[in-house]
Amino acid sequence: MDYEIVIGLEVHCQLLTETKIFCGCSTHFGNPPNQNSCPVCTGMPGALPVLNRKVVDFAVRAGLATACKITPNSVFARKNYFYPDLPKGYQISQFELPICIGGHLDIEVEGEKKRIGITRIHMEEDAGKLVHPEYEHGVSYVDYNRACVPLIEIVSEPDMRSSAEAVAYLKALREIVVYLGVCDGNMEEGSFRCDANISLRRWGAPEFGTRAELKNMNSFRNVQRAIEYEVERQRDILDGGGQVVQETRLWNVDRGVSMSMRGKEEAHDYRYFPDPDLLPVVVDEVWVEDVRQKLPELPAAKRQRLVDDYAIPVVDAEVLTADRAMADYFEAVVKLFAQPKAVANWIMVELMKLINEDKISITQCPITPQGLGDLLSLIDEGVISGKIGKQVFSQMYSSANNDPRQLIEDQGLAQMSDVGELAALVDDIVAANDGKVKEYQQGKVKLFGFFVGQVMKKTKGQANPQVVNRLLKEKIG
Amino acid sequence: MELYNCSLEELWQRLEKGEVSSLEVTRSVFKRIAEVDETVGAYLEIDEKRALVQAEAADERRRQGQEITPVTGIPLGLKDLLSTAGLKTTCGSKMLAGYRPEYDATVVSRLREAGAVITGKLNMDEFAMGSSTENSSFKPTRNPWDLKRVPGGSSGGSTAAVASATAIATLGSDTGGSIRQPASFCGVVGMKPTYGRVSRYGLVAFASSLDQIGPVTLTVADAALLLGVIAGHDERDSTSVDLPVADYYGGLKNEIKDLRIGVPAEYFGAGLDPEVEAAVRLGCRQMAATGARFEDVSLPHTDYAVATYYLLATAEASSNLARYDGVKYGFRAEDADGLIDMYRKTRAQGFGDEVKRRIMLGTYALSAGYYDAYYRKAQQVRTLITRDFDKVFAGCDVLVAPVCPTPAFAFGEKVDDPLSMYLSDILTIPVNLAGLPAISVPCGFTKAGLPIGLQIIAKPFAEETLLKVAWHYEQMAGWSGRRPQLAGEAV
Ligand SMILES: [Zn+2]
């Protein structure tokens, strides 16, 4: 039987604030266990949360970028459950009145555009981390460094109909939160993580089928695999006349299967209620407008603008805008050297090769836009050839020297373009190769290359090839 | 007169004049503790060593001409749910036996900065749940006026200490009457400030939307002095309100001539002990003599207050007490097999019956399918109760009422009947639901010699008016400052 696949996604983004959501502790990753902790984030008796307003700012940013309405009085609620990584026995989250509601995100799969609804975005605190050392049997430790680190959860409508749409949505969403500067988007480290609700229904059926929730997918590839696995699993059940059980399933990356984590009967009753320790979060029009004014250009708009303003191919625009800083870099170079396609090529081929090899971001690139702009101008002016240019480029990169003119001078790499000097050289060579000149003039045109080669040899490759060509043509016809 | 018998106000003035030193006062108080606290049992933890160091520091501060506050060098006790760095904070619970916090509550750091001497930590009903201090995991506290009777609760240690002069003043906390009721049972002044007036940071939560720290003192003037030190906005508590703190002490003697006083009919209903009613009515007549105008008013939703309170307070408590799970601090059951078993046994063994009863009540009130009928409905009724007060306060400045329907009851009298214990909070609970400031001032004694308290309730953040009215009443009535005769004491 054929079924329609229905997918909704819940995405948790760890926010890039300096401090935690309800205390002043650092959010810095990688500190020794429990170093980033205080009475508040370890749930000491009597300690109280105080909201970090930056978190609200970030959540509103994400909301505006996904066309959400901002709730003027949103409310923090307690989600009650027991687990050792949850120091208070409840997580401070939002339930009935989240900060953002009712937005959407446009995606494109195989040329087809589609709008995916966003139900809500809410703010919450992360939990700590359990450590089970292998060498100590029966002992576990808790690290509260991550406890109280701010998250936003972005919940989509069940609008996706294939794993490809789900991945496209995730990629678009990730790109946006990274562009907004609210999240680093790192899926492996879990700062951008996704749960998927999946169900199947017969084509045309009005009701959704019973859904399963998938967790623990830490890459786009795993999201795709896990969804496909789950679709097949449910299809087999339904085809066999069985019923899908509502449950939470954990994706096992190594084995490529998902396993039941807990069923509906074991589902938590979280007993949400408004947190009496926190006041409603009042976000007035002024605040919303302020955030709106400061929103950066979003990826889709930027892509279109690059194509329109610089007449570069759509594919180039896509590559350049995959990273906001990369697009900024491109535009900065174009300002100095107004040949956008050439700039795009240099960035996409030469520059990306080096930074990808070194696994650094464009913001860490040793070559500044000014340096690259100068280099491209020097090539364009004929001071050096394109080939020498690449050599200078890699020197600039490895030495972090952004003065290409100086590098060229120091090493005597400049092209010889002086017509008088080159003409004398050409004369010498023609005079010394009388026989070859005759052969050439009798029709052996391939020999032209020989004469060029001779000039290059004499000039150690620095003669301007265009000038040499012209002079030779004048001399030997 | 022994120094320990003095009021805070008097000691402050004598310290100012250099007639006594803080060290003398502090030694006097610890001598008193040694004499009577074994009988009264107000203290869970006596911190004499550090207190004497603090007393010397206060005297030094005075010698050096540094800033002096009314509590500089004054020995004060703290209810054992205020977090004190390095000093055990048990909340009267086995669950936190031996727990030494790493930080001070905001009120504690304010007292320390003001140069107060901290005598120790005072007994209470476990996690402030109770009206008799009988729910303490550790020991009973006796009413200094009648050792067979309870001191009230949950701040029974705080009020018994002031009544028995084992602290010059103390801090308690009031969630549904936990300062005012034991103050009335022990014949001392107990005040609950407006919700948000005093920071709750470091107050171990029972019911966060109701809890408020307040002073327990011998006189109204002492309450004004102590409140002045602890009140005010705190960035660490989002629910603390950023409003200026008046000079409460300086405002006490201002006139109250044109005052309009409301007497809520519902607070004089069935179940009110005739001796209590007579004492409170007499108090009203005395206040009328100052020229204040009296008016009968109605708070029609009073009957729903107890039910509302026991839904909301327990709901919040069920969540607030989830952190006591044996993982991080405090008690952990030893014979547990795995995580879930550790949770179960830790909480079963660590909490007392009343706490477990309330956790279960609150868990139920918040459960899926019951939330709307219980928690949400209770929130709506809370709004109605608050509106009752708003309406009444449109026409009067303060309300006068009894604190508790009865005087102190005997040990064991209500332990097996939680409902009758809950109902005895009927006259104090509405004030917490509406977040209002209120005070219990001594207004006489029963024939059996038990103290009776008169409750004055004011508008939100009108502590200045509240204290002023209470002070004028106290001056006229003259019941404050009396001391019980404790066994073995030189008469
Ligand atoms: Zn912290």
Side-chain angles (χ1 to χ4, degrees), chain A residues 296-320:
Chain A
E297 186 179 29
L298 293 176
K302 195 181 275 283
R303 253 189 304 276
Q304 192 55 49
R305 189 173 56 79
L306 292 195
V307 171
D308 294 348
D309 290 5
Y310 302 112
I312 56 170
V314 175
V315 231
D316 288 14
E318 274 169 4
V319 174
L320 292 171

Side-chain angles (χ1 to χ4, degrees), chain A residues 20 23-25 36-42:
Chain A
K20 294 185 177 183
C23 64
C25 290
N36 303 358
S37 73
C38 73
V40 176
C41 57
T42 52

Side-chain angles (χ1 to χ4, degrees), chain A residues 164-364:
Chain A
E165 286 185 10
V167 170
Y169 167 84
L170 277 181
K171 284 187 171 164
L173 189 61
R174 180 181 173 279
E175 200 174 49
I176 286 180
V177 293
V178 172
Y179 253 68
L180 293 171
V182 304
C183 176
D184 68 13
N186 191 325
M187 289 182 87
E188 284 77 22
E189 281 175 16
S191 44
F192 184 87
R193 44 190 196 255
C194 149
D195 302 336
N197 287 303
I198 299 157
S199 64
L200 301 188
R201 65 172 162 188
R202 249 180 245 166
W203 281 102
E207 303 286 326
F208 289 133
T210 307
R211 66 189 159 87
E213 187 183 10
L214 273 179
K215 285 181 178 291
N216 197 37
M217 303 162 288
N218 63 353
S219 68
F220 292 128
R221 165 124 185 80
N222 275 307
V223 170
Q224 178 130 18
R225 285 172 66 203
I227 291 176
E228 281 160 10
Y229 176 86
E230 181 59 21
V231 166
E232 287 317 306
R233 194 186 69 86
Q234 292 190 16
R235 193 193 303 276
D236 287 348
I237 292 172
L238 295 173
D239 282 349
Q243 285 193 320
V244 173
V245 181
Q246 187 175 331
E247 62 184 347
T248 303
R249 300 181 65 86
L250 212 59
W251 174 247
N252 185 315
V253 183
D254 300 328
R255 296 178 47 204
V257 297
S258 68
M259 279 166 298
S260 182
M261 197 173 139
R262 60 170 179 262
K264 192 187 179 184
E265 61 281 3
E266 302 157 61
H268 288 120
D269 176 1
Y270 290 118
R271 292 177 287 119
Y272 281 101
F273 75 106
D275 190 333
D277 288 331
L278 290 158
L279 304 176
V281 184
V282 180
V283 181
D284 59 13
E285 263 311 300
V286 180
W287 192 353
V288 174
E289 269 321 299
D290 185 53
V291 175
R292 200 192 301 276
Q293 293 303 320
K294 289 179 190 152
L295 276 188
E297 186 179 29
L298 293 176
K302 195 181 275 283
R303 253 189 304 276
Q304 192 55 49
R305 189 173 56 79
L306 292 195
V307 171
D308 294 348
D309 290 5
Y310 302 112
I312 56 170
V314 175
V315 231
D316 288 14
E318 274 169 4
V319 174
L320 292 171
T321 55
D323 178 352
R324 178 176 153 193
M326 186 67 80
D328 290 347
Y329 189 98
F330 165 76
E331 293 201 85
V333 180
V334 171
K335 266 204 191 96
L336 302 161
F337 182 70
Q339 295 181 28
K341 179 58 191 157
V343 174
N345 286 347
W346 270 84
I347 291 177
M348 293 190 306
V349 180
E350 305 303 329
L351 191 115
M352 283 189 181
K353 192 180 98 194
L354 294 178
I355 62 174
N356 289 344
E357 272 171 15
D358 289 348
K359 293 194 171 69
I360 58 170
S361 77
I362 184 68
T363 51
Q364 297 163 296

Side-chain angles (χ1 to χ4, degrees), chain A residues 429-449:
Chain A
I429 287 163
V430 168
N433 294 284
D434 204 28
K436 289 216 162 63
V437 173
K438 280 205 180 88
E439 280 177 50
Y440 172 78
Q441 286 166 340
Q442 281 157 7
K444 207 168 176 186
V445 286
K446 271 188 187 166
L447 277 172
F448 192 78

Side-chain angles (χ1 to χ4, degrees), chain B residues 90-377:
Chain B
T90 69
C91 299
S93 179
K94 179 183 173 185
M95 189 60 104
L96 284 177
Y99 165 65
R100 279 178 207 278
E102 58 179 81
Y103 78 103
D104 276 332
T106 296
V107 289
V108 175
S109 43
R110 286 193 180 170
L111 288 181
R112 289 197 203 281
E113 279 158 28
V117 174
I118 310 292
T119 56
K121 304 299 285 288
L122 299 158
N123 202 13
M124 55 185 284
D125 285 303
E126 184 177 10
F127 286 104
M129 296 178 184
S131 307
S132 66
T133 312
E134 289 167 287
N135 295 335
S136 166
S137 295
F138 303 110
K139 63 179 189 185
T141 295
R142 292 175 217 284
N143 191 317
W145 293 93
D146 180 347
L147 298 174
K148 291 188 293 299
R149 288 177 189 269
V150 301
S154 65
S155 309
S158 299
T159 57
V162 174
S164 61
T166 53
I168 302 306
T170 62
L171 291 183
S173 70
D174 192 315
T175 306
S178 282
I179 288 176
R180 290 160 290 156
Q181 183 257 23
S184 82
F185 281 15
C186 290
V188 297
V189 172
M191 180 189 180
K192 174 213 162 313
T194 312
Y195 185 77
R197 178 55 96 186
V198 177
S199 167
R200 292 187 297 114
Y201 187 78
L203 161 69
V204 181
F206 158 19
S208 315
S209 76
L210 300 156
D211 296 341
Q212 190 65 192
I213 299 166
V216 177
T217 55
L218 199 61
T219 65
V220 174
D222 287 6
L225 289 169
L226 189 47
L227 181 65
V229 176
I230 61 168
H233 181 239
D234 176 18
E235 283 180 356
R236 290 176 184 273
D237 175 4
S238 313
T239 63
S240 90
V241 176
D242 196 0
L243 282 175
V245 174
D247 176 6
Y248 301 126
Y249 180 77
L252 292 176
K253 295 176 188 174
N254 292 343
E255 282 205 29
I256 59 161
K257 215 169 61 197
D258 295 324
L259 204 76
R260 297 162 306 168
I261 300 176
V263 182
E266 291 80 2
Y267 286 51
F268 291 84
L272 184 59
D273 182 287
E275 285 190 276
V276 171
E277 177 165 5
V280 174
R281 298 268 187 212
L282 173 66
C284 290
R285 283 198 296 280
Q286 288 173 313
M287 288 167 90
T290 62
R293 278 177 305 165
F294 273 81
E295 196 183 322
D296 289 329
V297 297
S298 174
L299 297 162
H301 294 96
T302 304
D303 272 356
Y304 304 104
V306 172
T308 302
Y309 174 86
Y310 277 96
L311 286 170
L312 297 179
T314 58
E316 292 180 16
S318 72
S319 174
N320 282 332
L321 272 63
R323 69 188 64 196
Y324 309 110
D325 56 6
V327 173
K328 306 164 293 283
Y329 42 69
F331 175 75
R332 177 191 292 173
E334 277 173 4
D335 52 343
D337 178 22
L339 179 66
I340 302 296
D341 195 47
M342 191 270 278
Y343 283 152
R344 286 203 178 118
K345 289 197 168 121
T346 295
R347 291 169 68 80
Q349 295 166 22
F351 288 136
D353 287 348
E354 182 60 28
V355 171
K356 280 186 259 190
R357 179 155 40 231
R358 295 198 194 190
I359 289 174
M360 285 189 279
L361 264 173
T363 303
Y364 189 75
L366 290 175
S367 295
Y370 298 97
Y371 182 89
D372 286 335
Y374 294 122
Y375 183 83
R376 200 188 300 276
K377 183 65 78 185

